[in-house]
Amino acid sequence: MSRSIVGSGSNLAAYTMIKDDLLDRGWGNNWVLDMIAGLGSSVVSVAFMNPIDVLRTRRYAATAASSTNTLTPSFPSIIINIIKNEGLLAFYKGVSMHFLRIGPHFVLSFVFLGIFKRSLLDYYGYKDTKDSFAKFDVDKDGVLNKNELEQVLKIAFPLSSQLEMKNQVLQTIESENVKVKQYHEILKHIKKIKNEEVSITL
């Protein structure tokens, strides 16, 4: 139980921290990022779990070797004995094999989890886009004309100080009649610009 709590807790925390840090540094949110974050989190997980495995192995071995009249050594006594006779590095015996066993498992798990998560976000994001598109498509002709698109930008950039950002979006629009797919890309561009504005403000 304690091994699972320590291993999973350190692994998930390290993965989140590494991924968030790399995203802040400008890395793209893709499978490469998931792989690197998963690899880093597996190193942290092994660093926390290996000492526990060493202690458990030593205690099981001592229990098997002792007679029925001999008390099983406690974990504190085993820790003291290891530090006294072998040094702190003894807690990391077998660490390379430990990493080779669980490292690929964590890396692949986080890569597939990231792909699945992004696929779901893209699916529901596009679904929300179509709902939003239908709301602004007043004449129901399947495209947003200049006036309808102006309403979108007015809601996205309501402040006069955001005029420059609004112009940035307008420069990316290639035609006057915007379809759903292009509207989806426009919304992603708007979100990116507004996120950059928040980052600069912070």
Side-chain angles (χ1 to χ4, degrees), residues 3 39 49-50 54-55 59 72 92 107 124 142 144 155 163:
R3 181 184 185 275
L39 188 64
M49 284 197 298
N50 208 81
V54 170
L55 289 176
R59 190 174 190 197
T72 302
Y92 289 95
V107 169
Y124 285 107
L144 296 184
I155 293 174
L163 181 60

Side-chain angles (χ1 to χ4, degrees), residues 70-81:
T70 305
L71 292 175
T72 302
S74 64
F75 282 120
S77 64
I78 296 173
I79 293 173
I80 293 171
N81 185 59

Side-chain angles (χ1 to χ4, degrees), residues 22-92:
L22 292 178
L23 285 172
D24 290 341
R25 293 172 184 268
W27 286 54
N29 188 9
N30 50 39
W31 68 270
V32 176
L33 178 62
D34 293 325
M35 181 178 68
I36 293 173
L39 188 64
S41 68
S42 64
V43 172
V44 174
S45 185
V46 168
F48 276 90
M49 284 197 298
N50 208 81
I52 298 175
D53 288 342
V54 170
L55 289 176
R56 291 171 62 193
T57 302
R58 294 295 177 90
R59 190 174 190 197
Y60 293 154
T63 302
S66 64
S67 64
T68 55
N69 296 325
T70 305
L71 292 175
T72 302
S74 64
F75 282 120
S77 64
I78 296 173
I79 293 173
I80 293 171
N81 185 59
I82 291 174
I83 295 174
K84 183 178 178 180
N85 298 318
E86 302 175 62
L88 292 173
L89 289 179
F91 289 106
Y92 289 95

Side-chain angles (χ1 to χ4, degrees), residues 131-173:
D131 293 339
S132 173
F133 184 90
K135 178 182 176 181
F136 288 104
D137 186 17
V138 180
D139 52 14
K140 306 301 178 185
D141 59 350
V143 295
L144 296 184
N145 56 40
K146 186 176 180 180
N147 292 331
E148 292 167 341
L149 196 58
E150 185 67 30
Q151 292 300 315
V152 176
L153 296 177
K154 188 180 294 184
I155 293 174
F157 304 109
L159 303 177
S160 57
S161 58
Q162 297 175 320
L163 181 60
E164 184 179 345
M165 290 185 288
K166 180 179 176 181
N167 291 333
Q168 287 182 36
V169 176
L170 287 172
Q171 290 174 4
T172 64
I173 302 173

